[in-house]
Amino acid sequence: MSTPPRPDAARRPGELTARELLRWAWRQLTSMRTALLLLLLLALAAIPGSVIPQADVDSLAVTRWKDEHPKLTPVYEKLDLFSVYSSPWFSAIYLLLVLSLVGCIIPRLFVYYRALRAQPPQAPRNLSRMPVQASYTTDLAPADVLDRARTVLGRRHRLRVAGDGDDYVAAERGYVREAGNLVFHLSLLIVLAGVGMGSLLGYQGGVILVQGSTFSNNLTQYDDFKPGGLFRQGQMKNFRFSVDDFSIDWLKDGPRFGQARKFEAALTYRVGKGEPREYGLKVNHPLELDGTDVFLIGHGYAPVITVRDGTGQVVHTGPTVFLPRDASFLSYGVVKVPTAKPGQIGLDGLFFPTFEMVDGNPVTVFGDDLNPTLSMLAYTGDLGLDDGRSQSVYVLDKAKATPITQEDGKPLRVDLQVGDTVELPDGLGSVTFERVDPWIRVQISQTPGKEVALLGVILALIGLCCSLFIRPRRVWVRAVPVGHGDPGDPAAAGEGTMDGTGGTEPMTTRVEVAVLDRSGNGEMDEILTTVLSQLQEASQS
């Protein structure tokens, strides 16, 4: 009877089963080449996040960018370019990189662990063929030479366990290098775990606070809030703080004229029911409140504007946040007054911290508020606040509004300096510029895994230093008995040979020493000389 053909016989060359295909895909994913490629791809994918404003970092900049680029905004929103680091495509690259790294690292951990526990290798058959070797003879017996070699090399080397009949001593040092490799690869997993904990369990939010205002740590107080996947509102700590003052040290001369050198916000904070405390919040010097960090990341100006309607009633007063548009702090802002009578009033325009006319154009020549000036256009009518749609406080809906005009029909521009008041035509009311208050933008974040990630980074540095600076080497010492005048006689015994008078001729021992460097160090001749001198000193003692 003929045997039935195996199922594999019908497969075409190169055809893989589902299991083989999965194994092949896993091997490709966990190769070091794929990990490096994914790392490069992740770096390229992060470029849009550093060029395009990100909603979780500065939602105000995102709003301003959308206003300036209305045609590109829908495309960017479809591609999640305003939230690159939380987009599905970026997350997919990141997760593939994590899988690839884990698949690369875990097998190597076992390799390095076995290398860390391994014994030195056996001595080569012919030590004289080693690139760095030497030999000498001694009157000591081979056993005594090997004992002394173990004593000398055992101080700083790991010795191979001697077997029956071994005529050599094998020693190796530099195992800390393997420990460094092990720690370095393990630390990468620790860093990934720490970053993952922070992303899943933590949160990050931002808020703009005008000087004199108070912030309490609850969701309603944030301008933008980005929680982790496993974040729970109960994790938020009970604290609050007030912005008492904000100061900037402006450079008023020299090559860096006009730049700010120092920012400091004077805060008064309280954690839970504790006593109030003061803190000077600076850039790169966050305030830590019960495991939550408060960072100073931006500042600007909030002109205090008072609007009276046609009846003379104050319908709006207080600081209005204006957003900087460039390094000179030329800022844009909006005022909305839906309760004004006889009609709603809207203002939008620019704030000039240090106003000057240059070649007939209004400019700000300095970031400090030395000559603060407002220049805004006025609107009345329906501002779109009653149709139920959400609306940014930094955008004025002019679709149904009517520009307020002067007698000549030109749009009315409200130009104000501190203390000025402009009357609106047609009995609509008036606008007064009271003063300028500074505002700061703070980022508040809770990152539970940052200590774990920091530990991983420290371990990675330690492991990397061990891998780079520890130089592993191997040393072999072989002792072979030889007859006097016949150093190559393998039959010679350690008790001597008969001479012509019938006595015994003393035996000698040939000692061979070889050194092998595993890191390419060129100092092996010096090390060989040191080992030889130590062995010969031990022989003479």
Side-chain angles (χ1 to χ4, degrees), residues 56-77:
D56 57 345
V57 176
D58 193 348
S59 59
L60 306 180
V62 173
T63 300
R64 185 167 63 248
W65 196 97
K66 290 181 178 180
D67 293 339
E68 295 173 354
H69 306 85
K71 294 183 178 179
L72 286 177
T73 296
V75 179
Y76 279 34
E77 287 178 339

Side-chain angles (χ1 to χ4, degrees), residues 246-252 257-260 262-263 299-301 326-331 351-356 363-373 436 438:
F246 180 66
S247 59
I248 306 176
D249 185 9
W250 296 93
L251 297 175
K252 298 183 179 180
F257 171 81
Q259 296 185 19
K262 179 182 177 182
F263 312 89
H299 67 98
Y301 295 104
D326 53 37
S328 69
F329 280 84
L330 176 66
S331 305
F351 170 74
F352 301 82
T354 303
F355 174 79
E356 281 191 16
V363 297
T364 179
V365 296
F366 201 64
D368 198 3
D369 56 340
L370 302 179
N371 186 28
T373 302
V436 179

Side-chain angles (χ1 to χ4, degrees), residues 45-158:
I47 292 177
S50 60
V51 176
I52 302 171
Q54 298 297 290
D56 57 345
V57 176
D58 193 348
S59 59
L60 306 180
V62 173
T63 300
R64 185 167 63 248
W65 196 97
K66 290 181 178 180
D67 293 339
E68 295 173 354
H69 306 85
K71 294 183 178 179
L72 286 177
T73 296
V75 179
Y76 279 34
E77 287 178 339
K78 280 183 176 288
L79 297 175
D80 291 319
L81 294 183
F82 297 116
S83 55
V84 168
Y85 306 113
S86 58
S87 63
W89 52 271
F90 189 88
S91 300
I93 299 173
Y94 178 78
L95 290 176
L96 286 174
L97 176 61
V98 171
L99 284 175
S100 181
L101 286 175
V102 171
C104 289
I105 292 171
I106 290 181
R108 284 170 173 77
L109 291 179
F110 294 103
V111 172
Y112 291 129
Y113 181 72
R114 288 193 294 269
L116 182 62
R117 293 173 56 88
Q119 291 193 71
Q122 297 179 2
R125 184 179 300 274
N126 296 308
L127 290 181
S128 59
R129 296 182 180 177
M130 299 293 291
V132 181
Q133 56 82 30
S135 63
Y136 67 94
T137 58
T138 179
D139 294 334
L140 294 176
D144 294 335
V145 173
L146 296 180
D147 287 341
R148 294 179 184 275
R150 292 188 186 95
T151 301
V152 170
L153 297 177
R155 299 168 187 164
R156 302 182 65 183
H157 295 73
R158 178 182 296 179

Side-chain angles (χ1 to χ4, degrees), residues 221-241:
Q221 296 278 296
Y222 285 89
D223 293 333
D224 54 82
F225 189 83
K226 181 184 177 183
L230 301 179
F231 170 78
R232 297 294 180 267
Q233 190 172 347
Q235 296 175 219
M236 301 184 71
K237 305 299 183 179
N238 180 19
F239 64 82
R240 56 190 177 279
F241 59 87

Side-chain angles (χ1 to χ4, degrees), residues 441-458:
R441 177 170 173 80
V442 296
Q443 177 181 292
I444 303 171
S445 60
Q446 190 179 99
T447 313
K450 62 182 179 181
E451 293 84 2
V452 177
L454 177 61
L455 174 63
V457 172
I458 294 174

